[in-house]
Amino acid sequence: MIRSLSVMSFLILVLASCEEKEMEVKDLADILPSSERDYTADASEELSDAEDSSNYFKQSFLAHGVLIDDLVRLESDAFPDRFNPKNSDRFQLRIEQDSIIYERWIYEDSSSLLNAYYNWLDCFGQDCESIKPGDQSRVSDQPMQLFVNDTTLILITGDVNADRWMKYHVSLGFEMNWRHVMQQSNYGKMTWSRYIDGEKIPVEPIQTLENEDNK
């Protein structure tokens, strides 16, 4: 009888110990932080250190086919920054012997983009010239390219290689549907076009985005 009581007591102690351990595991799980980080956030928002940020974007250009030798992020604001873009990135790139400025502004929607875009055209370039889509004037002493879609403005200054940037933007996921593409060569005047499913279509003077949509 005494032996039975001893065995019973031992079993009770073992069961109690198991229950206590199970409770401890559950309590530990309750206090551990859950992984709820938003991995869709733009990388530039998380890269606070200037060197880390520059290295990240340098590798991004290289990974998408633009073989740059060096990159510096430009911290000063440009005209389109006045219109509250959702995100903007501005870089000075060195490709072989060329110094190229690459600037990109992303807006919340097409209305926000239109507001920024047409205000910018009213005061474009260092001399704050007023230009309209289709104008064939010359607004810069350097070659330049301006890309416009529904939410994004991209300006590239100092590079005549248009094909390089077309391929780069496709690799980033941009479709070949540009509302406006303005290009100016080293010594030439501006030419304007739009792209619909990859087809290049000339833009006539004073042809706005709204008028193009009605065609």
Side-chain angles (χ1 to χ4, degrees):
M1 182 68 176
I2 294 175
R3 180 176 297 178
S4 299
L5 288 173
S6 298
V7 172
M8 184 67 70
S9 300
F10 175 75
L11 290 175
I12 292 172
L13 289 172
V14 170
L15 290 173
S17 176
C18 291
E19 289 178 359
E20 184 177 353
K21 288 181 180 180
E22 184 178 357
M23 291 178 64
E24 288 176 358
V25 171
K26 290 181 179 178
D27 291 342
L28 182 62
D30 290 339
I31 64 174
L32 283 174
S34 59
S35 178
E36 296 180 353
R37 179 181 175 188
D38 182 11
Y39 289 94
T40 63
D42 190 274
S44 61
E45 297 175 359
E46 299 183 12
L47 296 169
S48 57
D49 182 83
E51 184 176 356
D52 287 346
S53 177
S54 294
N55 287 335
Y56 171 84
F57 284 106
K58 182 178 180 179
Q59 295 304 317
S60 179
F61 277 103
L62 293 172
H64 290 91
V66 179
L67 305 181
I68 65 175
D69 298 307
D70 197 14
L71 173 150
V72 176
R73 294 200 72 185
L74 302 176
E75 300 299 336
S76 59
D77 288 340
F79 191 93
D81 288 300
R82 302 178 187 180
F83 300 90
N84 301 316
K86 184 172 65 173
N87 185 39
S88 67
D89 287 304
R90 304 176 62 236
F91 309 99
Q92 182 175 7
L93 312 176
R94 184 168 60 83
I95 301 179
E96 297 179 347
Q97 301 302 315
D98 296 328
S99 178
I100 298 167
I101 304 297
Y102 184 96
E103 304 170 274
R104 179 171 60 208
W105 298 269
I106 301 174
Y107 293 88
E108 191 69 38
D109 49 40
S110 59
S111 297
S112 300
L113 176 129
L114 287 174
N115 184 41
Y117 178 48
Y118 285 116
N119 274 282
W120 193 18
L121 293 186
D122 281 340
C123 182
F124 195 84
Q126 293 182 346
D127 296 330
C128 194
E129 295 186 39
S130 179
I131 59 176
K132 295 180 174 62
D135 282 356
Q136 295 183 348
S137 57
R138 180 173 174 80
V139 295
S140 173
D141 58 359
Q142 298 186 68
M144 59 188 302
Q145 303 169 56
L146 174 67
F147 296 83
V148 185
N149 66 13
D150 286 338
T151 58
T152 305
L153 295 173
I154 299 172
L155 178 65
I156 302 159
T157 308
D159 192 9
V160 296
N161 190 338
D163 187 55
R164 182 205 323 263
W165 298 108
M166 284 290 184
K167 291 178 179 178
Y168 173 69
H169 294 139
V170 169
S171 75
L172 288 179
F174 287 99
E175 296 180 356
M176 284 292 285
N177 290 305
W178 295 103
R179 310 286 294 277
H180 279 167
V181 176
M182 183 269 280
Q183 295 172 306
Q184 179 187 289
S185 63
N186 260 327
Y187 305 104
K189 296 181 179 181
M190 293 184 295
T191 62
W192 297 77
S193 55
R194 61 189 304 215
Y195 284 77
I196 301 177
D197 295 330
E199 180 184 358
K200 184 178 181 179
I201 302 172
V203 171
E204 301 299 327
I206 317 178
Q207 189 172 0
T208 67
L209 298 186
E210 294 95 332
N211 291 336
E212 291 171 4
D213 286 338
N214 293 329
K215 287 191 171 185

